[in-house]
Amino acid sequence: MANRILRRNTTFFGSISVSMALTTIVVIVMILLLALTINRARENDMVEQYSRQQMAVAKGWAAGIEDLILGVERSVILFSKRSPSKILNPHEAGSHLKSIYDEMGGRTHFIASLDSQGAVIAGYPSWPLDEIMNKNFPSNSFVEAVRKNRGMYLSRLIFLGDESSHEQRKRYKTVFIGVSVLDANNEVSGVIVAALSLSAIKDRYMTPPKETMLTDYWIVDDTGIILTNATDSLVGKSISLLEGNDSPPLKTVFLSGSEGYGASRFKIDEHTKDRYIYSYAPMNIGSIMWSIVVVTPYKNVVSLLRKTFVSIIFGAAGLIIAVIVAVFSIAYIGRRRLAFEERMKRLKEREDWQERLLKEKKTIDGIIEGSPIPTFVIDRDHQVILWNKACAELTGFAAQDIIGTDKHYLPFYSQKRPVIADLIVDRDVKGLENFYGAKKVEKSKTVEGAYEARDYFNNLGGKNRHLFFLAAPIYDDKGEIIASIETLQDVTAEIEMSRSLQEYAETLQNELTENINLRKEVESIYNYLQSLIDSLPDRFYEFGADGIINYISRDVSRQKGLASPEIKGRHFTDFVAPEHTEMVLKKWEDATNGIYVPFELETTDRMGAKRTLLINIRQVKDTDRYVIVQRDMTEFKELERKFYESQKLAAIGHLSAGIAHELRNALSSIKMSLQILEKRMTPQGNDLKRFEIARREVEHLETLVNNVLIYAKPAEPKKKPSDIRKIIDHSLYMAEKNIMDKQIRLETSIAPNLPDINADEEMLAQAFLNLYRNAVEASETNGTVRVLVSLDGADGKTMRVEIEDEGSGIDEEDLPNIFNPFFTKKNYGTGLGLSQVNKIIELHHGTVELQNREGRGAKAVILLPLDSIS
């Protein structure tokens, strides 16, 4: 135990040392961050102060250079105001130019006078002009610009002289100041040119103070070109080429027209991009703006401050290290002293704990002995050291018979075998599986290292019992198992209750399954009946005694339930037209009084068509609900009307047939008499014409009578296998006279290998003849009539005959009545021709249809199903 106390102390003091080390590291890091922050702020302040100083230098230089250039400009302008004759005279101009050059005190390389053509006629000093004297000035573009400007003009950077020459005076860079010379007519007669000495400007005005740290300075013209710098290495370059990754557009900054400063990376040479501090000030030379830029390496400005910062950091680091060493030394000594004191204290506490443990053992034994939970304890030798009273009552074995023995198995098993406590003492996990695998042994979820199981025992303590075992190890201070405790719990009542609940749950589950199946059957029957009701032509309404609708058949909006939300809860009169509401309510009142009389309503549907509805109200038996059955009688009424009309037509047909029969006999006699008289009398002239008119009218009446007889009393067709081609040819032969009279062009197209049809050839020929006559009558003279015969449909079981003309077609309003008897738009005719065609085709189980062709004319389509007639 003392070793454990020592280990705890060591760990405790070790954790203190780690905490102190971490705290020290954090403090050091915080100090370093604070120092870096302060140093950064001091660097920014120093850069700010230095930038302001250099900006003042740039402003001073800019003011001096402005005065220099303006002085040169004034001198040249004063000279240009003289008489052109003196200016353009080489001898007089030379002395004047020398005096002006001397006044400028070396601020120019030379000053020259040019004539109106740009040739140099005089200049001083002479050495820069020796090679071009009396020749055109080297920069023609500059001369042209001065002439055009008719005043002072400042050129860009110009390189003069031989770059390969070793004499410094023979090669130089300059900026020309030019002024035009105007004659009496205000015309340009010459140009005065002064070559500004950039080296003189640099030596005179751009000498940095000795105490300054700047390394370069630039004069930048209005196009961003560097005119001069400290070493002349950048002369002629654009400042845009010096921009680094983080620098702003330098041309925009330096030529903004205002002074300023900043810090950025410049690409001074090809290999490095160092950080520089720059200050700049503008120069206004007439309408042209230049800028003075002063640059200093950033590291030169802050180098001294950084050296001081490094020295301070090293000093602080040494002080911190000394403090750390002192702190850890003090901590180590204190830890040793505290460890000794703690050890002595723990030794004394050990004695106190031993006394307490003895007392607690007695207390625990008393608690276990008095516990209502049956419990026993065995030692590592499997000897029972505790068998409490509850255990004795449960098993029927007294404590004095069991304690000190290894017979704790006797209450449970007839032969010696280990219980769970024995297996835990031996750490025999396989034994647990072998002896208690069937008892569902498993690790305890609440007690570490414990196992639990269930078993059933007959006549345990005089009763059959279900027991729950829980056995756990008891450890010493070294973690070794020195004993095992096992508790027993009688769970017979719980198991019996569980079985009862399980049986009850199974009963409920069976009932629920039956209810679900019953519900499914009810829903299936409901859906079946619903489908039957929805498929009926009648519509059903179901509602309560208050007239509120509960159900409507064929409700397309219904998803679940008897009615959709748009319908359910509404009164049935909401679906009755206002003009019928009073009558329907009267019938509803009769129905509630037991008087059920069907009635009819004439309504208008959504399309505006008139509909006749038969309404029948009945009460659902043994309920207060009612059902309305609504039947649409419109088609029935229409069929009824047509039936009555057909009966009338049939009566007229029979009467017409009788009259026609009598007329045909009379017409036969008249026709015969006319033929006999014509032979006997041999009339000539007008008499012959009258005989022909009488004969033609008799024939017309015979045709009319025959048509009436065919329509009123159609004979049954005498069918036989026939060739459709022969029928078509025969019918065309009969129509030949009509076709020839109007010179109609006839086109026929009959498919080859057509099968024979079982038909009455004469009747079909008569039907085709009537259609030919109609086509010829509808066509103009020299028109065309086409006859097309083919098999129709994919299965080829229908004969198709088409007769087309190029007439005026049929009016759309006449198409529905075209087959009605006696319907005609001709000035002559009976109106029975197409009725006769329709009747003949119907007798052959076919169909005939008249259609208007696209463009012009009409078409008759006859379909004769081969299955029905062959």
Side-chain angles (χ1 to χ4, degrees):
M1 185 168 180
N3 291 334
R4 269 208 311 248
I5 294 172
L6 182 60
R7 283 198 301 271
R8 284 200 300 269
N9 291 337
T10 303
T11 302
F12 172 73
F13 287 114
S15 63
I16 292 176
S17 300
V18 172
S19 300
M20 290 177 64
L22 291 175
T23 304
T24 303
I25 292 172
V26 171
V27 170
I28 292 173
V29 171
M30 294 299 292
I31 291 173
L32 290 175
L33 291 176
L34 179 61
L36 289 172
T37 303
I38 295 173
N39 181 68
R40 184 65 177 173
R42 291 184 63 191
E43 282 187 8
N44 291 338
D45 291 341
M46 178 173 284
V47 170
E48 177 82 13
Q49 183 179 359
Y50 181 82
S51 298
R52 291 180 180 276
Q53 293 174 356
Q54 298 308 305
M55 186 176 68
V57 172
K59 288 173 64 178
W61 289 356
I65 294 171
E66 280 184 10
D67 293 340
L68 184 147
I69 295 174
L70 292 176
V72 173
E73 179 185 347
R74 284 193 296 270
S75 298
V76 173
I77 290 173
L78 288 174
F79 180 66
S80 70
K81 299 297 183 181
R82 299 191 179 195
S83 173
S85 60
K86 295 181 179 181
I87 295 174
L88 300 177
N89 187 308
H91 299 289
E92 292 187 18
S95 59
H96 288 296
L97 292 174
K98 180 180 183 302
S99 62
I100 293 173
Y101 178 81
D102 293 339
E103 287 177 3
M104 293 180 184
R107 288 176 287 179
T108 59
H109 289 290
F110 63 83
I111 182 168
S113 176
L114 283 63
D115 62 12
S116 60
Q117 302 301 319
V120 180
I121 59 175
Y124 188 85
S126 60
W127 65 264
L129 305 171
D130 290 343
E131 296 180 359
I132 61 173
M133 187 63 69
N134 297 321
K135 297 179 180 179
N136 286 337
F137 194 71
S139 180
N140 291 329
S141 60
F142 169 71
V143 175
E144 291 298 325
V146 175
R147 288 174 180 168
K148 185 177 181 181
N149 196 51
R150 303 177 66 87
M152 194 279 288
Y153 183 77
L154 192 65
S155 75
R156 308 299 180 200
L157 180 66
I158 297 176
F159 293 83
L160 290 179
D162 185 4
E163 288 293 330
S164 63
S165 176
H166 295 289
E167 295 184 37
Q168 182 66 28
R169 71 187 188 88
K170 289 188 178 181
R171 51 188 177 89
Y172 52 89
K173 296 172 278 292
T174 184
V175 174
F176 291 144
I177 298 176
V179 178
S180 58
V181 179
L182 304 178
D183 59 13
N185 296 324
N186 202 27
E187 297 292 334
V188 177
S189 59
V191 175
I192 307 298
V193 179
L196 196 62
S197 176
L198 297 177
S199 59
I201 292 174
K202 183 172 63 174
D203 296 339
R204 182 172 182 178
Y205 293 102
M206 303 180 69
T207 303
K210 293 182 180 180
E211 66 278 3
T212 186
M213 290 177 284
L214 65 85
T215 60
D216 204 357
Y217 43 84
W218 312 328
I219 296 178
V220 182
D221 69 6
D222 58 335
T223 64
I225 300 300
I226 298 176
L227 303 179
T228 185
N229 72 312
T231 60
D232 289 341
S233 60
L234 302 178
V235 173
K237 290 185 177 182
S238 173
I239 56 174
S240 299
L241 299 176
L242 307 181
E243 295 176 0
N245 295 333
D246 62 339
S247 62
L250 298 181
K251 183 177 178 181
T252 304
V253 174
F254 295 157
L255 299 177
S256 63
S258 60
E259 60 201 33
Y261 54 85
S264 181
R265 294 188 182 276
F266 291 161
K267 189 167 61 176
I268 301 298
D269 55 41
E270 296 295 332
H271 305 290
T272 60
K273 293 183 182 179
D274 294 332
R275 189 172 178 81
Y276 288 84
I277 298 171
Y278 59 85
S279 302
Y280 56 91
M283 290 190 299
N284 295 311
I285 303 170
S287 61
I288 299 174
M289 178 185 294
W290 288 2
S291 181
I292 296 291
V293 182
V294 179
V295 294
T296 304
Y298 189 90
K299 61 184 178 182
N300 293 355
V301 177
V302 299
S303 60
L304 180 59
L305 182 62
R306 288 181 175 176
K307 291 177 182 178
T308 305
F309 172 72
V310 171
S311 300
I312 293 173
I313 289 296
F314 277 113
L319 180 60
I320 291 171
I321 291 172
V323 172
I324 291 172
V325 171
V327 169
F328 275 93
S329 298
I330 294 171
Y332 177 74
I333 295 171
R335 187 179 68 180
R336 293 287 302 274
R337 180 176 59 81
L338 290 173
F340 177 75
E341 292 178 354
E342 187 69 19
R343 184 174 182 182
M344 296 303 295
K345 181 179 179 182
R346 294 302 180 186
L347 289 174
K348 186 175 184 307
E349 289 179 350
R350 181 178 180 181
E351 296 177 357
D352 296 337
W353 275 107
Q354 288 176 347
E355 293 181 3
R356 291 181 182 179
L357 287 174
L358 291 174
K359 291 181 180 179
E360 289 178 359
K361 181 178 181 303
K362 294 179 179 179
T363 302
I364 292 172
D365 290 345
I367 292 172
I368 294 175
E369 180 64 27
S371 173
I373 299 175
T375 306
F376 65 90
V377 180
I378 62 173
D379 59 15
R380 68 178 61 185
D381 297 326
H382 302 280
Q383 300 293 315
V384 179
I385 59 176
L386 180 64
W387 188 275
N388 72 353
K389 185 178 181 181
C391 187
E393 292 177 352
L394 177 68
T395 61
F397 286 78
Q400 59 269 23
D401 297 331
I402 301 297
I403 291 176
T405 70
D406 59 354
K407 298 180 180 180
H408 47 281
Y409 67 88
L410 281 177
F412 312 105
Y413 307 108
S414 58
Q415 297 179 353
K416 186 174 183 179
R417 53 164 287 177
V419 297
I420 297 179
D422 294 312
L423 298 172
I424 288 177
V425 168
D426 295 338
R427 298 180 182 270
D428 188 1
V429 178
K430 291 185 178 180
L432 286 170
E433 184 64 29
N434 292 335
F435 288 100
Y436 290 93
K439 311 297 192 289
K440 298 181 181 179
V441 66
E442 61 182 359
K443 280 188 175 182
S444 174
K445 298 178 182 179
T446 56
V447 182
E448 185 177 358
Y451 286 86
E452 57 189 37
R454 296 174 182 269
D455 203 353
Y456 175 76
F457 299 95
N458 289 319
N459 195 22
L460 179 62
K463 294 182 179 180
N464 298 332
R465 302 177 188 269
H466 291 273
L467 294 184
F468 172 76
F469 304 94
L470 176 63
I474 299 175
Y475 299 96
D476 61 7
D477 57 349
K478 296 180 181 180
E480 299 293 334
I481 296 176
I482 59 173
S484 178
I485 182 171
E486 184 169 342
T487 61
L488 311 173
Q489 186 177 355
D490 188 354
V491 293
T492 305
E494 288 83 348
I495 290 178
E496 291 179 355
M497 177 64 73
S498 176
R499 288 177 178 173
S500 299
L501 290 175
Q502 185 175 0
E503 292 175 357
Y504 180 66
E506 291 177 354
T507 302
L508 291 178
Q509 180 64 39
N510 294 334
E511 292 179 357
L512 179 60
T513 302
E514 291 179 0
N515 290 335
I516 292 174
N517 294 333
L518 181 60
R519 178 184 178 88
K520 290 181 179 179
E521 291 179 3
V522 170
E523 288 180 352
S524 176
I525 295 172
Y526 170 78
N527 293 333
Y528 174 73
L529 294 176
Q530 181 68 50
S531 300
L532 286 178
I533 293 175
D534 288 343
S535 64
L536 293 176
D538 299 335
R539 195 166 190 180
F540 295 84
Y541 296 79
E542 189 270 326
F543 44 87
D546 54 0
I548 301 301
I549 295 175
N550 298 320
Y551 169 79
I552 292 182
S553 64
R554 285 183 281 161
D555 182 3
V556 296
S557 300
R558 180 179 63 244
Q559 295 180 351
K560 291 184 178 180
L562 297 176
S564 61
E566 294 82 1
I567 294 175
K568 190 172 183 179
R570 296 176 62 182
H571 199 274
F572 74 90
T573 54
D574 293 344
F575 299 90
V576 179
E579 62 270 18
H580 301 307
T581 303
E582 184 177 354
M583 184 186 72
V584 172
L585 288 175
K586 179 64 172 63
K587 296 295 183 180
W588 161 250
E589 184 179 356
D590 292 343
T592 57
N593 295 325
I595 302 173
Y596 308 114
V597 179
F599 59 94
E600 291 183 356
L601 290 178
E602 288 190 1
T603 62
T604 303
D605 62 14
R606 295 179 181 178
M607 304 302 294
K610 295 291 185 179
R611 313 298 296 180
T612 302
L613 303 178
L614 176 64
I615 309 298
N616 196 353
I617 304 177
R618 284 289 187 277
Q619 184 178 10
V620 180
K621 190 174 182 180
D622 298 330
T623 67
D624 60 348
R625 292 179 297 162
Y626 291 82
V627 174
I628 289 181
V629 180
Q630 173 187 298
R631 177 171 295 178
D632 191 343
M633 302 292 290
T634 306
E635 295 182 1
F636 178 78
K637 292 288 185 181
E638 181 65 19
L639 291 174
E640 186 179 45
R641 183 184 64 78
K642 290 181 178 180
F643 175 72
Y644 290 141
E645 288 181 357
S646 65
Q647 285 185 330
K648 294 178 183 178
L649 290 174
I652 294 173
H654 287 297
L655 177 61
S656 300
I659 296 173
H661 183 70
E662 296 298 328
L663 286 174
R664 185 168 61 178
N665 294 334
L667 289 172
S668 298
S669 300
I670 294 172
K671 185 177 181 181
M672 186 180 298
S673 300
L674 285 172
Q675 291 174 352
I676 294 171
L677 288 174
E678 185 178 1
K679 289 180 180 180
R680 288 180 180 179
M681 297 175 65
T682 60
Q684 301 292 328
N686 291 331
D687 292 335
L688 179 60
K689 290 181 179 180
R690 290 188 180 92
F691 269 99
E692 290 177 352
I693 291 171
R695 185 175 64 251
R696 188 165 57 249
E697 291 299 326
V698 169
E699 290 176 353
H700 174 68
L701 288 175
E702 278 186 328
T703 302
L704 175 61
V705 169
N706 288 333
N707 289 339
V708 170
L709 287 174
I710 291 173
Y711 177 77
K713 281 188 168 185
E716 284 296 324
K718 299 176 181 179
K719 296 179 182 180
K720 64 179 181 178
S722 304
D723 185 357
I724 189 66
R725 185 184 296 273
K726 292 182 179 180
I727 297 175
I728 294 295
D729 291 342
H730 178 59
S731 60
L732 289 174
Y733 175 75
M734 290 189 293
E736 184 176 2
K737 185 176 183 305
N738 301 83
I739 294 173
M740 296 299 294
D741 290 344
K742 296 189 72 172
Q743 299 180 2
I744 299 297
R745 184 171 59 256
L746 181 66
E747 296 179 0
T748 60
S749 176
I750 302 176
N753 301 322
L754 292 175
D756 291 344
I757 61 173
N758 196 28
D760 188 320
E761 296 181 358
E762 293 298 327
M763 293 183 75
L764 282 183
Q766 184 64 43
F768 294 153
L769 176 62
N770 289 349
L771 292 174
Y772 298 154
R773 288 173 176 172
N774 284 348
V776 170
E777 291 172 358
S779 299
E780 301 289 340
T781 302
N782 298 321
T784 301
V785 173
R786 299 179 184 85
V787 179
L788 311 173
V789 183
S790 62
L791 291 178
D792 187 68
D795 54 359
K797 294 184 179 182
T798 303
M799 187 77 72
R800 182 184 184 92
V801 180
E802 297 183 7
I803 300 171
E804 300 178 353
D805 64 65
E806 295 180 350
S808 59
I810 306 170
D811 293 338
E812 292 295 331
E813 62 270 14
D814 293 339
L815 282 174
N817 304 313
I818 201 71
F819 291 112
N820 291 343
F822 308 110
F823 179 81
T824 181
K825 287 295 186 73
K826 301 176 184 177
N827 295 328
Y828 62 93
T830 62
L832 293 172
L834 290 178
S835 300
Q836 184 180 357
V837 171
N838 190 37
K839 179 68 72 174
I840 292 172
I841 299 302
E842 284 182 353
L843 290 173
H844 286 78
H845 308 288
T847 61
V848 59
E849 181 182 5
L850 289 182
Q851 305 171 355
N852 281 319
R853 295 173 57 211
E854 292 185 6
R856 187 182 179 192
K859 176 171 66 174
V861 180
I862 300 170
L863 297 178
L864 298 170
L866 298 181
D867 288 344
S868 300
I869 63 176
S870 60

